[in-house]
């Protein structure tokens, strides 16, 4: 039985590693999820958007259509989606940032009207936020990637198996002593 354990542990580790490799290779063209936060003197808000990174165009600055977008200003019951973009269905889009000043590898182009006051026009252009075209760059937008639940589950499973294997090896060494 003691000789079987190392082989079983090695097989389990190999199987887990192969699952991780398959998940990693299939994730090379995947749906990416990002959270965004708008911070300006006139409006603050949070949202989420997702896009398929395999749909990036071959332009100088590659863009990909947004699959889903949900955005809401603080203390405002209105929820804005991708369909609220003025240029829908061609916009909103995600783009790869090329400027050295950008802190996120992905930016969003999203232009929408206020649902309660259609005279107000909001624009998110990468890390810049503006209200109306007259007040350009009166706020900032920050992004953070939100991990896929499946990749978190796989990592947790891999770490749990490794922890159990380590505990078992330590207990086997204590029995031998």
């Amino acid at each position: 039985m003691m000789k079987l354990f190392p082989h079983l542990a090695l097989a389990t580790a190999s199987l887990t590693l192969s699952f991780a490799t398959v998940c990693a290779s299939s994730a090379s063209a995947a749906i990416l999820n990002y959270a965004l936060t708008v911070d300006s003197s006139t409006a603050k808000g949070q949202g989420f958007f997702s896009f398929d990174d395999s749909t990036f165009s071959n332009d100088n600055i590659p863009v990909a259509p947004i699959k889903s977008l949900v955005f809401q200003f603080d203390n405002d019951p209105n929820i804005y989606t991708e369909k609220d973009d003025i240029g829908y269905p061609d916009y909103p889009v995600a783009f790869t940032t090329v400027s050295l000043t950008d802190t996120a590898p992905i930016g969003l182009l999203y232009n929408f009207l206020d649902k309660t006051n259609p005279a107000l026009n909001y624009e998110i252009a990468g890390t810049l936020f503006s209200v109306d075209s007259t007040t350009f760059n009166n706020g900032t937008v920050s992004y953070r990637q939100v991990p896929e639940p499946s990749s978190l589950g796989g990592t947790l499973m891999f770490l749990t198996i490794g922890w159990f294997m380590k505990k078992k090896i330590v207990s086997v060494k204590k029995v031998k002593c």
Side-chain angles (χ1 to χ4, degrees):
M1 179 70 172
M2 291 290 188
K3 291 183 180 182
L4 181 61
F5 176 72
H7 296 292
L8 183 60
L10 183 62
T12 303
S14 298
L15 183 62
T16 303
L17 190 57
S18 67
F19 280 139
T21 304
V22 168
C23 289
S25 64
S26 66
S28 63
I31 304 296
L32 299 179
N33 301 304
Y34 276 85
L36 69 120
T37 303
V38 169
D39 186 18
S40 93
S41 58
T42 57
K44 296 180 185 318
Q46 298 84 33
F48 295 92
F49 66 96
S50 64
F51 63 95
D52 185 345
D53 71 341
S54 68
T55 62
F56 272 116
S57 64
N58 291 326
D59 300 332
N60 289 339
I61 299 176
V63 297
I66 297 297
K67 289 212 168 275
S68 68
L69 182 141
V70 177
F71 180 79
Q72 187 172 20
F73 289 110
D74 293 348
N75 304 316
D76 184 354
N78 293 310
I79 297 174
Y80 299 90
T81 68
E82 67 277 3
K83 292 180 181 175
D84 291 313
D85 192 294
I86 294 170
Y88 184 81
D90 296 326
Y91 287 91
V93 294
F95 66 96
T96 57
T97 57
V98 293
S99 170
L100 296 176
T101 60
D102 287 327
T103 56
I106 295 297
L108 179 67
L109 292 177
Y110 184 43
N111 192 349
F112 58 103
L113 300 175
D114 189 300
K115 288 186 176 182
T116 54
N117 181 6
L120 286 177
N121 180 26
Y122 301 110
E123 183 176 18
I124 296 173
T127 57
L128 305 176
F129 174 76
S130 59
V131 181
D132 289 329
S133 57
T134 57
T135 53
F136 181 71
N137 188 17
N138 73 342
T140 60
V141 181
S142 59
Y143 301 91
R144 94 182 144 74
Q145 189 169 3
V146 179
E148 279 289 318
S150 62
S151 63
L152 289 175
T155 303
L156 183 61
M157 181 182 76
F158 184 71
L159 292 174
T160 303
I161 290 172
W163 181 73
F164 278 122
M165 286 177 30
K166 184 178 178 185
K167 266 186 99 168
K168 192 69 166 176
I169 289 171
V170 168
S171 66
V172 168
K173 286 182 180 179
K174 285 182 181 178
V175 169
K176 284 185 178 181
C177 293

